[in-house]
Amino acid sequence: SATPPVMMAMLLAVSIDYALFLLTRFKEETEAGVELEPALEKMLASSGHTVVASGSTLAFCFVALLFFPVQLMQSIGAGVIISIVSAIVVNMTFIPAGLLACPRVFSDF
């Protein structure tokens, strides 16, 4: 089946993109002198909103594949939807948690 490679490609691409959105916003806030927790709140409020909206839109687009009359396309659609939702959840939870645990790792670059 072609589903696992398509899932991995989409997961990797979307995860990197969403992580960059979040981390760039965090770096902008910390360079402006904002403390850690307010910077994370601003990051999640602005870029987090973009990540959730973008991911939801993308996942919704792949719902169309679920209604395609070919089993392979249905499988790819379901797999990609799972990958996108997983990327959203991981980026919206683990990136803030990682930044709280090790805030200087990213802000020193």
Side-chain angles (χ1 to χ4, degrees):
S1 173
T3 303
V6 174
M7 286 177 67
M8 290 305 297
M10 189 59 97
L11 182 63
L12 184 63
V14 169
S15 289
I16 290 171
D17 188 36
Y18 294 164
L20 285 175
F21 277 138
L22 295 169
L23 293 173
T24 300
R25 181 63 179 181
F26 176 75
K27 185 167 177 145
E28 288 172 359
E29 293 297 329
T30 56
E31 286 177 348
V34 179
E35 293 295 320
L36 176 64
E37 289 187 25
L40 283 171
E41 289 173 8
K42 288 182 179 182
M43 174 193 77
L44 290 173
S46 60
S47 293
H49 176 19
T50 304
V51 166
V52 171
S54 172
S56 299
T57 303
L58 189 59
F60 183 71
C61 290
F62 280 96
V63 169
L65 290 180
L66 298 176
F67 300 105
F68 205 81
V70 177
Q71 179 65 33
L72 176 66
M73 299 305 282
Q74 293 172 352
S75 174
I76 289 173
V80 170
I81 291 168
I82 291 168
S83 295
I84 293 168
V85 171
S86 299
I88 294 169
V89 170
V90 167
N91 279 289
M92 295 300 290
T93 56
F94 288 120
I95 290 201
L99 289 172
L100 279 172
C102 307
R104 297 190 56 94
V105 170
F106 185 75
S107 59
D108 284 345
F109 287 104

